[in-house]
């Protein structure tokens, strides 16, 4: 007898559904795990905690539809607990998330990659509230070897030292402690000799009373391997103002130094309320030496003594004349003419067209190298001296010495304490000669039938005293080093001559 076709169809659908259920569950696990992984590795590590929570909750909703495995659901809830506790400081929400994780997988533990004291604390409370695991039997925990101290003086850290049982390797050894009037806190011990050691810090030993602590050694999965004490049966240390026994210390170490104590200060409203060399800061009298002084820092940066070295060519204004090299023209020393090799023109040139004449304008001539010293007055003025020598002047009767006194004013409020541009103006006066040099042809009587036409160097020289004004710019590459560019207009006397003197140099503060 044949079965009806409808029965075969129903049976086929059921078989296909049964065969595809594991595949659908696996696909659901994969999608939920991917969301959870993105939430922790991308959003959580980027401190985008709300986005991490949203992705984890989406992963849980996905599991409701696709029936993820309990292990996957437990891991998602454990990740939620981590974000709530370490990221958002929402301990109650973290505990509830860890409870849900333990309900799905009693052997679940927080991911060690994101483990913190807050995460472990919330997980332990969730585990305690969830009761003993229905299936997993906790393995025996070996005792740590230690000699606990019974008392310690206040304001002295408490040394903690433990040794692991033989055959046990720990990934982390942690001491949890509770100071009088404070919550439980955590201290990670470090390797010390044969064991692990650390100090319960100053913040826990300020007040008299009972200090509680216990120590636990964990493996890489954060399973307990060994312990010394517990929250129910902790070590107890009496904190006293003074103790009669020897000061606690780590093996082969001296006792820890006393913690710095807060200084009792007088209250005040103004500096007049404070005695002696004290100032009123935040309504308390403190030593003036401890009060930050921004100006003192500036004084250290502001170099008072500056030395510089520079080069300056002279650009002189030349007067027009039709007689440059006659003996009469050279008689007062303003003009002097020389053949090549520095030989003076000793006789009057012959008149011939435009020879023996000068056209007015600007001409180069002397150049000078100077060294300078400047002293900073206040914060934006300097007073200094410059000394140097000039060259390329007339071959004879020329003073190459340069001596100058100078005063400068800088436009910036406090230019010598920072880098950057420092514009300024200045005035100077002193002793120096400058000469412009112009080449012109003259006709010379050689005693032959035809006179000879020769080129000569004509120097126009001013007086040996000068005064002038100028403007400059320092570009400071550091508070005490600067490139210098400036230009000065000088007027010579008693023989007048106008000179424009650009300058390029380098200055260094001492």
């Amino acid at each position: 007898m044949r079965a009806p076709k409808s029965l075969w169809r129903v049976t086929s659908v059921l078989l296909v559904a049964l065969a595809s259920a594991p595949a659908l569950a696996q696909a659901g696990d994969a999608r939920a795990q991917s969301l959870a992984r993105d939430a922790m590795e991308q959003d959580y590590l980027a401190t985008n905690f709300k986005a991490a929570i949203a992705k984890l909750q989406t992963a849980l909703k996905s599991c409701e539809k696709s029936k993820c495995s309990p292990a996957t659901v437990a891991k998602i809830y454990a990740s939620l607990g981590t974000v709530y506790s370490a990221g958002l400081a929402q301990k109650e929400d973290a505990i509830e998330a860890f409870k849900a994780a333990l309900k799905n997988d009693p052997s679940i533990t927080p991911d060690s990659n994101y483990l913190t004291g807050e995460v472990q604390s919330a997980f332990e409370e969730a585990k305690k509230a969830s009761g003993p695991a229905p299936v997993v039997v906790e393995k025996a925990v070996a005792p740590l070897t230690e000699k606990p101290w019974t008392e310690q003086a206040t304001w002295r850290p408490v040394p903690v030292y433990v040794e692991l049982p033989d055959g046990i390797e720990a990934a982390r050894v942690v001491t949890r402690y509770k100071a009088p009037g404070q919550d439980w806190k955590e201290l990670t011990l470090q390797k010390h000799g044969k064991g692990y050691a650390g100090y319960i810090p100053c913040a826990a030993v300020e007040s008299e009373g009972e200090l509680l602590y216990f120590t636990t050694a964990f493996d890489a999965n954060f399973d307990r391997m060994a312990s010394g004490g517990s929250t129910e049966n902790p070590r107890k240390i009496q904190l006293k103002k003074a103790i009669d026994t020897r000061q606690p210390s780590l093996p082969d170490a001296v006792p820890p130094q006393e913690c710095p104590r807060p200084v009792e200060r007088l209250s005040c409203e103004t500096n007049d309320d404070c005695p002696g060399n004290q100032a009123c800061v935040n309504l308390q009298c403190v030593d003036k030496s401890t009060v930050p002084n921004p100006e003192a820092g500036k004084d250290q940066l502001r170099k008072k003594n500056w030395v510089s070295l520079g080069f300056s060519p002279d650009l002189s204004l030349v007067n027009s004349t039709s007689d440059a090299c006659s003996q009469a023209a050279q008689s007062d020393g303003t003009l002097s003419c020389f053949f090549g090799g520095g030989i003076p023109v000793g006789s009057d040139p012959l008149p011939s067209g435009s020879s023996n004449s000068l056209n007015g304008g600007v001409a180069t001539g002397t150049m000078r190298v100077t060294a300078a010293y400047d002293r900073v007055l206040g914060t934006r003025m300097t007073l200094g001296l410059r000394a140097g020598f000039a060259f390329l002047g007339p071959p004879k009767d020329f003073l190459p010495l340069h001596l100058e006194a100078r005063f400068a004013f800088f436009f910036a409020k406090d230019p010598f304490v920072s880098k950057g541009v420092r514009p300024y103006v200045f005035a100077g006066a002193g002793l120096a000669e400058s000469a412009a040099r112009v080449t012109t042809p003259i006709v010379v009587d050689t005693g032959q039938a035809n006179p000879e036409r020769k080129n000569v160097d004509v120097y126009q020289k001013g007086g040996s005293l000068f005064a002038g004004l100028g403007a400059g710019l320092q570009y400071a590459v550091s508070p005490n080093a600067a490139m210098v560019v400036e230009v000065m207009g000088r007027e010579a006397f008693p023989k007048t001559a106008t000179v424009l003197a650009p300058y390029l140099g380098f200055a260094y503060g001492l």
Side-chain angles (χ1 to χ4, degrees):
M1 179 177 172
R2 287 190 173 182
K5 290 184 178 181
S6 58
L7 179 60
W8 282 112
R9 289 174 183 170
V10 172
T11 304
S12 299
V13 170
L14 289 175
L15 290 173
V16 170
L18 291 173
S20 61
L24 291 174
Q26 289 178 2
D29 276 8
R31 183 173 184 276
Q33 290 170 2
S34 177
L35 283 169
R37 185 165 53 252
D38 287 348
M40 300 304 291
E41 294 180 359
Q42 296 179 15
D43 299 312
Y44 178 74
L45 292 180
T47 68
N48 193 355
F49 304 127
K50 291 185 178 180
I53 292 292
K55 283 186 181 179
L56 291 170
Q57 290 175 342
T58 301
L60 288 174
K61 290 180 180 178
S62 174
C63 283
E64 290 178 1
K65 296 179 181 179
S66 57
K67 304 299 182 183
C68 298
S69 66
T72 296
V73 175
K75 287 181 179 179
I76 297 171
Y77 274 117
S79 296
L80 269 175
T82 298
V83 179
Y84 278 131
S85 55
L88 298 173
Q90 297 177 6
K91 189 173 183 179
E92 295 302 322
D93 291 333
I95 292 172
E96 293 302 318
F98 282 131
K99 284 182 181 179
L102 290 166
K103 182 178 179 181
N104 282 274
D105 183 0
S107 64
I108 191 71
T109 58
D111 190 333
S112 59
N113 292 317
Y114 310 109
L115 190 62
T116 65
E118 293 85 355
V119 173
Q120 184 62 27
S121 174
F123 180 73
E124 287 181 356
E125 291 194 30
K127 198 169 184 179
K128 185 177 179 181
S130 299
V135 178
V136 179
V137 177
E138 186 174 332
K139 63 182 180 180
V141 176
L144 292 169
T145 301
E146 68 173 317
K147 294 180 180 179
W149 307 100
T150 58
E151 60 180 6
Q152 172 65 304
T154 54
W155 299 102
R156 284 190 181 272
V158 176
V160 177
Y161 176 78
V162 298
E163 292 184 5
L164 299 176
D166 292 339
I168 288 182
E169 293 285 340
R172 192 175 182 215
V173 179
V174 176
T175 293
R176 301 199 70 216
Y177 61 91
K178 186 177 187 302
Q182 298 182 23
D183 294 327
W184 286 97
K185 294 183 175 61
E186 188 174 285
L187 167 71
T188 299
L189 304 187
Q190 304 297 325
K191 191 70 176 172
H192 181 87
K194 296 181 179 180
Y196 289 81
Y199 291 96
I200 296 177
C202 293
V205 294
E206 296 177 356
S207 304
E208 293 184 78
E210 192 173 60
L211 173 68
L212 309 177
Y213 78 92
F214 65 93
T215 304
T216 309
F218 298 93
D219 62 14
N221 295 322
F222 220 84
D223 289 331
R224 291 196 306 156
M225 304 174 63
S227 66
S230 63
T231 51
E232 293 79 13
N233 185 27
R235 311 297 191 213
K236 298 178 181 180
I237 294 181
Q238 292 299 321
L239 299 176
K240 304 177 181 179
K241 287 186 177 180
I243 59 176
D244 298 328
T245 57
R246 71 182 182 91
Q247 286 288 345
S249 64
L250 296 177
D252 302 322
V254 298
Q257 293 185 348
E258 188 176 19
C259 303
R261 299 179 184 236
V263 180
E264 294 185 5
R265 304 185 187 277
L266 296 174
S267 59
C268 61
E269 293 183 0
T270 67
N271 290 343
D272 295 335
D273 298 331
C274 299
N277 191 33
Q278 292 190 338
C280 187
V281 178
N282 296 328
L283 302 180
Q284 288 188 325
C285 294
V286 299
D287 290 337
K288 288 183 179 178
S289 60
T290 64
V291 180
N293 184 0
E295 291 302 319
K298 288 184 178 181
D299 287 340
Q300 293 179 353
L301 290 174
R302 187 188 304 113
K303 302 300 181 183
K304 292 289 187 179
N305 302 295
W306 286 77
V307 293
S308 58
L309 185 67
F311 167 76
S312 175
D314 293 336
L315 304 177
S316 301
L317 183 63
V318 177
N319 298 320
S320 297
T321 180
S322 59
D323 181 13
C325 294
S326 68
Q327 297 302 301
Q330 298 183 67
S331 61
D332 66 351
T334 301
L335 294 174
S336 56
C337 300
F338 297 87
F339 294 110
I343 301 173
V345 175
S347 59
D348 291 343
L350 298 177
S352 178
S354 61
S355 65
N356 193 33
S357 63
L358 296 179
N359 294 322
V362 177
T364 60
T366 47
M367 300 184 181
R368 60 197 69 237
V369 174
T370 58
Y373 167 77
D374 292 283
R375 173 73 178 180
V376 177
L377 307 176
T379 62
R380 56 202 301 185
M381 296 180 291
T382 62
L383 186 64
L385 296 172
R386 277 156 177 70
F389 68 93
F391 53 95
L392 300 183
K396 293 184 179 180
D397 300 326
F398 177 69
L399 179 68
L401 183 65
H402 182 103
L403 294 175
E404 177 185 351
R406 179 180 289 193
F407 171 81
F409 177 83
F410 287 76
F411 292 106
K413 184 177 180 181
D414 202 349
F416 297 101
V417 298
S418 60
K419 300 186 293 183
V421 177
R422 303 169 179 172
Y424 61 95
V425 293
F426 62 91
L431 175 70
E433 285 187 351
S434 61
R437 184 179 68 178
V438 180
T439 299
T440 189
I442 64 172
V443 178
V444 180
D445 184 2
T446 61
Q448 304 296 324
N450 296 318
E452 186 177 355
R453 187 181 181 91
K454 292 185 177 181
N455 287 332
V456 296
D457 291 330
V458 182
Y459 292 87
Q460 177 183 289
K461 187 174 66 171
S464 57
L465 301 177
F466 74 90
L469 300 173
L473 190 73
Q474 288 188 359
Y475 179 74
V477 295
S478 70
N480 66 327
M483 300 298 298
V484 184
V485 177
E486 62 184 35
V487 62
M488 182 182 189
R490 299 199 305 261
E491 189 67 28
F493 58 91
K495 295 177 183 178
T496 61
T498 303
V499 178
L500 190 67
Y503 172 91
L504 178 65
F506 178 78
Y508 188 80
L510 303 173

